[in-house]
């Protein structure tokens, strides 16, 4: 199925004493996914296993050549690793699942990688009445453990290998977000290793109701790698009460019904109508409490076979009107489209089984890639869709992996204020992700120009980027795009920070000044220290 092909998607003693003083309990380590380095090891380039850990990033377009990689198994070992890097004056990067699609970690400037792949413990923390999840745990494991052990879940993404570390810190959304909000709406606390002005590393706990609520808030959408090294998250819904674990996070549907709608070969007119139908449907049906709130439908239009489109709806199968809602949705999608799309008969199955089947598997991308994103407040115009179709049908860039993905949002996400969390986007109905893929490194320049030109032309009326206005709501930091900081690509008057964080950026800068005054944690789109 081409729409699933892109990931393949159809994204020391002193340290121990310091941690103990905070009341923080170490994260337990699950089975070692690396199969080599000793607990808490520092790996050097000549050590066995170094190359495998160094090359763990999702996007093979980027590769770091660090002097050292630390693989901690606890908060205490993470403190020791950060302290060692600071004492040696080395530039630090942090890796959780490895799915950052830009060069935040895999960068020539990176001298030390703190690899969190062993911080994978998942348990219930009765002291905080919350679930404790190691920052290195991937989403697939989190879903399985929460569901099988407590019957709950979080509304995270559908790429099983994505690590909690960056996903939750950037906001986090997925197929259940229209029902239950973003991941950060279920983030009660964060345990993080920070570095103070004197260069001393320590582990601190930050929670919604204190201690350190400002640092907690910064991790509800401020993005990974900005303030320190996250070692674990505490998960409890913002409106949950009591101490029963089964009531502290959302309960997923018992079963899901799903189908598939495919437009195998799209003319310009059928493409504009089909994609337009999809966007307008969710623009109409994304208010909180909509009768379609349990409906999610991931859309992929590829740069292949004239803009091949694939749409995969799913919704709660146990609703008495589930099949009626699905039929209504299918009817709205195919209306006026000629030649007509192919509709695969609906099937139903257990929630976790269906969700896993529709998710991108673990593993590194089979291609080099560039990613761009946008949040939509209004459906694309027919002119924008014609522009998109023109690029997707360019014979020089035909690929099953390149194209645009559309992810329905809105619903419960939009029930909270833009300042409730650092993630400000609480009034959009869709996320768009533009993917450009190539396999030969020699093709990079041409594919980057194709990607940049497509994005620039779609947003020609707002300086080549989705400047917040009646139709656009900026971009999503978990699909980072360094081009937004480049004045040659962003010719608008909106800074990159406005596109990602809106009016929340100054507050994020103040948190940065408090908790990372040395700017020890930084990358090409990191939160900047406030000016004088």
């Amino acid at each position: 199925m081409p729409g699933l092909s892109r990931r393949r998607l159809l994204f020391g003693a002193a340290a121990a004493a310091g941690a103990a003083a905070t009341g923080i309990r170490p994260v337990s380590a699950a089975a070692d996914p690396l199969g080599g380095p000793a607990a808490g090891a520092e790996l050097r380039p000549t050590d066995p296993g170094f190359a495998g850990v160094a090359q763990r990033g999702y996007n093979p377009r980027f590769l770091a050549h660090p002097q050292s990689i630390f693989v901690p198994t606890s908060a205490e070992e993470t403190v020791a690793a950060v302290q060692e890097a600071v004492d040696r004056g080395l530039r630090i990067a942090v890796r959780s699942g490895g799915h950052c699609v830009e060069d935040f970690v895999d960068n020539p400037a990176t001298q030390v990688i703190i690899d969190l792949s062993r911080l994978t413990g998942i348990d219930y923390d009765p002291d905080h009445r919350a679930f404790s999840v190691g920052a290195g745990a991937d989403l697939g494991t989190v879903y399985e453990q929460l569901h099988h052990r407590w019957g709950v879940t979080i509304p995270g993404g559908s790429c099983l290998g994505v690590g909690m570390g960056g996903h939750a810190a950037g906001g986090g959304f997925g197929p259940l977000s229209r029902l239950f909000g973003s991941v950060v709406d279920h983030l009660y606390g964060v345990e993080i290793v920070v570095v103070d002005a004197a260069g001393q590393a320590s582990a601190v706990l930050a929670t919604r109701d204190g201690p350190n609520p400002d640092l907690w808030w910064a991790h509800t959408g401020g993005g990974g790698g900005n303030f320190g090294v996250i070692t674990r998250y505490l998960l409890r819904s913002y409106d949950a009460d009591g101490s029963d674990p089964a009531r502290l996070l959302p309960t997923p549907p018992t079963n899901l019904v799903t189908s598939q709608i495919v437009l195998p070969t799209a003319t310009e007119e059928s493409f504009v109508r089909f994609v337009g139908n999809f966007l307008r449907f969710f623009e109409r049906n994304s208010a909180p409490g909509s009768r379609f709130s349990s409906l999610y439908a991931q859309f992929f239009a590829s740069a292949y076979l004239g803009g091949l489109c694939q749409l995969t709806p799913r919704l709660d199968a146990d609703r008495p009107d589930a099949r009626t809602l699905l039929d209504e949705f299918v009817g709205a999608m195919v209306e006026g489209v000629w030649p007509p799309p192919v509709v695969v008969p609906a099937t139903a199955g257990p929630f976790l089984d269906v969700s896993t089947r529709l998710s991108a598997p673990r593993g590194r991308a089979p291609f080099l890639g560039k990613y761009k994103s946008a949040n939509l407040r209004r459906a694309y115009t027919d002119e924008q869709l014609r522009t998109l179709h023109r690029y997707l049908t360019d014979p020089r860039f035909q690929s099953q992996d390149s194209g645009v993905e559309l992810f329905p949002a809105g619903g419960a996400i939009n029930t909270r204020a833009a300042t409730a969390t650092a993630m400000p986007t609480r009034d959009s109905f869709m996320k768009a992700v533009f993917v450009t893929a190539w396999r030969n490194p020699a093709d990079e320049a041409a594919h980057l120009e194709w990607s940049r030109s497509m994005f620039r032309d779609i947003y020609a009326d707002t300086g080549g980027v989705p400047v917040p206005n009646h139709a656009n709501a900026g971009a999503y930091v978990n699909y980072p795009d360094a081009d937004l900081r480049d004045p040659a690509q962003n010719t608008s008057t909106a800074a990159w920070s406005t596109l990602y964080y809106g009016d929340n950026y100054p507050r994020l800068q103040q948190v940065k000044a408090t908790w990372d005054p040395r700017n020890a944690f930084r990358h090409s789109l990191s939160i900047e220290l406030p000016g004088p």
Side-chain angles (χ1 to χ4, degrees):
M1 295 182 292
L4 280 174
S5 63
R6 78 168 181 85
R7 288 194 183 95
R8 291 222 53 126
L9 177 56
L10 273 102
F11 98 67
T22 67
I24 292 171
R25 299 185 303 177
V27 177
S28 60
D32 176 18
L34 304 176
E42 176 183 3
L43 297 176
R44 299 293 183 93
T46 56
D47 291 334
F50 179 91
V53 182
Q55 297 174 19
R56 205 168 63 81
Y58 174 76
N59 189 350
R61 180 183 168 203
F62 305 111
L63 181 63
H65 300 279
Q67 298 178 25
S68 297
I69 301 175
F70 290 91
V71 190
T73 65
S74 66
E76 294 86 352
E77 290 179 358
T78 306
V79 171
V82 171
Q83 190 66 65
E84 180 70 14
V86 171
D87 290 347
R88 287 157 56 183
L90 301 178
R91 174 83 170 260
I92 301 170
V94 187
R95 174 176 285 145
S96 174
H99 277 67
C100 180
V101 295
E102 275 286 4
D103 63 349
F104 294 180
V105 178
D106 293 316
N107 188 294
T110 296
Q111 297 169 302
V112 167
I113 293 177
I114 310 292
D115 186 285
L116 305 178
S117 55
R118 293 189 178 205
L119 293 178
T120 56
I122 301 172
D123 214 334
Y124 179 65
D125 183 335
D127 294 341
H128 294 101
R129 295 186 298 111
F131 295 93
S132 175
V133 177
D138 66 35
L139 292 180
T141 303
V142 172
Y143 299 149
E144 291 170 2
Q145 291 286 310
L146 291 179
H147 187 71
H148 288 314
R149 295 170 68 184
W150 297 284
V152 298
T153 194
I154 55 172
S158 55
C159 292
L160 300 179
V162 167
M164 278 291 291
H167 183 69
F173 83 99
L176 292 176
S177 288
R178 287 166 50 79
L179 269 177
F180 301 127
S182 292
V183 172
V184 292
D185 296 323
H186 309 277
L187 177 58
Y188 172 72
V190 59
E191 177 183 280
I192 180 171
V193 176
V194 295
V195 178
D196 65 18
Q200 183 65 44
S202 63
V204 299
L205 189 67
T207 66
R208 185 190 303 139
D209 50 12
N212 309 312
D214 60 333
L215 187 59
W216 163 82
W217 180 86
H219 286 86
T220 61
N226 281 307
F227 307 98
V229 183
I230 302 163
T231 53
R232 68 165 172 154
Y233 289 105
L234 294 171
L235 302 177
R236 188 212 307 163
S237 300
Y238 77 96
D239 56 353
D241 198 6
S243 57
D244 180 359
R247 300 175 64 86
L248 298 179
L249 285 176
T251 302
T254 302
N255 298 287
L256 294 175
V257 59
T258 184
S259 179
Q260 199 168 76
I261 308 170
V262 181
L263 188 64
T265 302
T267 65
E268 181 180 273
E269 291 306 314
S270 65
F271 179 89
V272 170
R273 185 60 183 254
F274 189 51
V275 183
N277 284 350
F278 175 78
L279 291 171
R280 289 188 292 270
F281 178 90
F282 280 102
E283 184 180 1
R284 294 192 306 268
N285 293 287
S286 284
S290 162
R291 55 193 282 262
F292 287 98
S293 59
S294 75
L295 173 68
Y296 180 80
Q298 183 169 318
F299 188 106
F300 184 67
S302 71
Y304 185 68
L305 296 179
L308 170 69
C309 298
Q310 181 170 292
L311 170 58
T312 309
R314 67 181 92 170
L315 75 158
D316 183 352
D318 296 321
R319 289 181 55 130
D321 59 350
R323 294 301 175 112
T324 299
L325 293 175
L326 183 60
D327 290 345
E328 186 175 335
F329 173 72
V330 172
M333 293 305 97
V334 303
E335 183 181 0
V337 181
W338 187 264
V342 176
V343 180
V344 177
T347 59
F351 164 76
L352 194 60
D353 292 349
V354 174
S355 297
T356 300
R357 176 169 57 85
L358 296 181
S359 294
R362 298 171 175 88
R364 205 172 192 214
F367 53 78
L368 295 79
K370 175 65 179 175
Y371 302 75
K372 294 177 172 292
S373 72
N375 296 311
L376 280 62
R377 288 177 173 146
R378 295 287 184 273
Y380 284 138
T381 65
D382 285 359
E383 181 181 357
Q384 287 175 301
L385 292 177
R386 293 183 195 282
T387 298
L388 177 59
H389 183 263
R390 173 165 54 86
Y391 278 95
L392 295 181
T393 55
D394 188 327
R396 299 170 297 170
F397 300 99
Q398 291 298 288
S399 168
Q400 294 184 22
D401 301 306
S402 297
V404 61
E405 286 185 291
L406 299 171
F407 302 104
I413 298 175
N414 292 358
T415 60
R416 306 192 69 197
T419 57
T421 60
M423 185 201 74
T425 309
R426 299 287 185 171
D427 58 357
S428 69
F429 77 96
M430 187 73 63
K431 292 185 186 297
V433 180
F434 299 81
V435 186
T436 306
W438 63 95
R439 284 168 168 75
N440 185 348
D443 294 336
E444 177 168 314
H447 281 77
L448 286 178
E449 180 54 33
W450 178 78
S451 170
R452 289 164 174 165
S453 296
M454 174 169 55
F455 199 70
R456 187 167 54 241
D457 287 355
I458 289 172
Y459 291 102
D461 291 344
T462 52
V465 295
V467 176
N469 61 10
H470 72 286
N472 311 314
Y476 179 47
V477 74
N478 275 359
Y479 290 104
D481 175 16
D483 286 350
L484 298 186
R485 195 166 191 160
D486 182 354
Q489 304 301 325
N490 178 2
T491 59
S492 76
T493 58
W496 69 271
S497 52
T498 299
L499 295 173
Y500 284 124
Y501 301 116
D503 294 337
N504 287 341
Y505 189 63
R507 183 177 174 185
L508 286 168
Q509 288 185 288
Q510 292 301 319
V511 177
K512 178 78 167 179
T514 300
W515 292 100
D516 186 24
R518 295 165 61 101
N519 202 24
F521 302 97
R522 61 192 187 276
H523 49 71
S524 57
L525 287 175
S526 56
I527 305 297
E528 301 164 310
L529 290 168

